[in-house]
Amino acid sequence: MHPRDQTIFALSSGRAPSAIAVVRVSGPQAGVALTTLAGKLPAPRQASRRLLHDGAGQPIDDAVVLWFPGPGSATGEDVAEFHVHGGRAVLAALFAAISIIPNTRAAEPGEFTRRSFENGKLDLTEAEGLDDLIHADTDRQRRQALRQLQGLLGDRARDWRERIIEASALIEAGIDFSDEGDVPAELRAPAVKAIRALHDEITKVLAAQGHSERLRDGLVVAIAGEPNVGKSTLMNQLARREVAIVSPYAGTTRDVIEVQLDLDGYPVTVIDTAGIRETDDPVEQEGVRRARARAEDADLVLWLVEGGRSVDPEAIRSLRKTGGGDRADGSIWIVRNKIDLGGAGPGEPRGEFGISASRGDGIPELVEALVTFAADFFGASEGGVITRVRQRDLMVRASDSLRRSLDLVEEGEELAAEELRAAAYALGRLLGRVDVEDVLGAIFQKFCIGK
Ligand SMILES: Nc1nc2c(c(=O)[nH]1)N(C=O)[C@@H](CNc1ccc(C(=O)N[C@@H](CCC(=O)O)C(=O)O)cc1)CN2
Ligand SMILES: Nc1nc2c(ncn2[C@@H]2O[C@H](COP(=O)(O)OP(=O)(O)OP(=O)(O)O)[C@@H](O)[C@H]2O)c(=O)[nH]1
Ligand SMILES: [Mg+2]
């Protein structure tokens, strides 16, 4: 029997122990699982309280069960749900009772969603949105994922793909005409117009994106600078708890310390690093190496200096991304700390920040600037439709093919038609219509078990 025809089950809620655990069963044997454990099938989509029994007639748990007959279910198959007390032994007994039903096995990660996808309930972008929704930590991540789940990108891609196929039909009709020596201008002109409009639309969407696909992982901000300037103190201020050790001794922080922050709904990872200096201590040397590496990879560096000290331009230059990076010069900010000791005041000199990490002066202004930076970085966050590099790459591919088909249409319809097919194919892959098994497998494997 093909794995797709087997019935699958999994814990779909959080790990045991929990107050209530939801176990989902999907596939042809879901109804059998429900009747075997809970007696007769309950009315579709209505919660019923039942005492569950195992194969030997022994009680398992006092539960609530649900029955979703296919194809009108989340997966498109028959689905049964057991809402039980979320104890480890309860779940073990329930799993044992379900798995003795023939052709029934534990689900792989993402397998329920995979089935929804196979049954046409979701396209691939919507499935990706669903996975992102489960992993969303901040409100902006949640909203973006929900938009994707609701088909914001999928609907547009479907529309583009259909219009490309229409344009390509006109062009191909032109190919037949040209055999007869006719000028297919009446066919070509509307096709060219349609392709141009499509190209404009897709490139506009791409241009408006910012780094919207980075919203899933978040922005990385590194705090760096010489030893003892107050980097860990700033870290603790931003985290609002004592995540890093602070001491008056230079060289306190050795490892890279990370915290996840939610700044106005933007996910931001702040990293505190070892103070950068020449040292003979091999442990500290390693800390300095790590600090440099992480600062170079960060999206933004807060370079901390003490009060009115001058900033060594060489130290800063060495932190610029070397090769391949896209960090602009503006993404290293000079932050003057310890302004409580005199020296520079808040907000001066221009373009720099003045703070007292230990007292908290200037921190709200710094946080506000970080939120603005994040908003610019992620781009049109309320309109962002691209949530993954995969999606962006395929849209770029579609747009490039459309551009080339416009360039080629004067030279010959065949070449133009070929590019249109490539554009439609890229959008087909975006929607998951034409992908090969291993590509889909790789995407769904990263999903949660039970989803
Ligand atoms: N208990 C429980 N809660 C859950 C889910 C679930 O599967 N079980 N969901 C799981 O993801 C989400 C809700 N999503 C769902 C999506 C589709 C259908 C469904 O039955 N769709 C049918 C008919 C819909 C209708 O009549 O409104 C269909 O699409 O044909 C159910 C839940 C979140 N909460
Ligand atoms: N007066 C004053 N002291 C501060 C301020 N911020 C930090 N300090 C003090 O400066 C010292 C060093 O602070 P840390 O946060 O450990 O400095 P660091 O940059 O992390 O140091 P390393 O980890 O060794 O590189 C501690 O004694 C802090 O209390 C500030 O705004 N004002
Ligand atoms: Mg430190």
Side-chain angles (χ1 to χ4, degrees), residues 10-14 21-24 112 449-451:
L11 172 66
S12 286
S13 58
V22 177
V23 172
R24 287 203 298 178
F112 288 92
I449 290 189
K451 197 58 219 173

Side-chain angles (χ1 to χ4, degrees), residues 74-237:
T75 60
E77 304 178 320
D78 285 352
V79 172
E81 287 189 0
F82 298 92
H83 297 209
V84 296
H85 295 104
R88 268 185 276 270
V90 173
L91 287 167
L94 179 59
F95 286 166
I98 296 172
S99 44
I100 55 172
I101 293 164
N103 301 316
T104 300
R105 62 169 170 84
E108 311 275 344
E111 203 172 2
F112 288 92
T113 313
R114 175 81 195 244
R115 290 183 175 199
S116 312
F117 167 74
E118 302 285 353
N119 292 323
K121 298 270 166 185
L122 299 170
D123 69 38
L124 196 51
T125 66
E126 290 160 1
E128 287 172 327
L130 181 57
D131 187 48
D132 293 345
L133 190 57
I134 290 167
H135 293 109
D137 290 323
T138 75
D139 210 49
R140 287 179 200 272
Q141 288 177 319
R142 177 186 64 75
R143 294 205 297 261
Q144 187 185 63
L146 189 60
R147 285 196 302 269
Q148 206 72 336
L149 172 60
Q150 289 172 333
L152 200 75
L153 177 59
D155 290 347
R156 299 209 67 177
R158 258 184 299 279
D159 171 58
W160 290 329
R161 186 167 176 270
E162 274 164 31
R163 285 159 59 197
I164 292 171
I165 291 167
E166 279 166 26
S168 134
L170 289 174
I171 297 272
E172 309 229 357
I175 296 172
D176 298 339
F177 266 98
S178 53
D179 288 345
E180 297 158 26
D182 258 320
V183 184
E186 319 85 67
L187 294 172
R188 195 198 280 172
V192 167
K193 196 166 165 233
I195 301 167
R196 192 161 288 138
L198 279 159
H199 180 263
D200 284 354
E201 269 181 52
I202 298 178
T203 44
K204 249 190 220 124
V205 169
L206 278 166
Q209 283 309 301
H211 297 77
S212 60
E213 73 271 11
R214 287 286 312 280
L215 193 58
R216 292 170 61 233
D217 297 330
L219 190 72
V220 178
V221 177
I223 306 174
E226 287 175 19
N228 225 28
V229 294
K231 298 180 295 299
S232 299
T233 310
L234 173 59
M235 173 77 159
N236 292 345
Q237 270 289 353

Side-chain angles (χ1 to χ4, degrees), residues 231-232 245 252-253 272-273:
K231 298 180 295 299
S232 299
I245 299 172
T252 301
T253 306
D272 176 27
T273 60

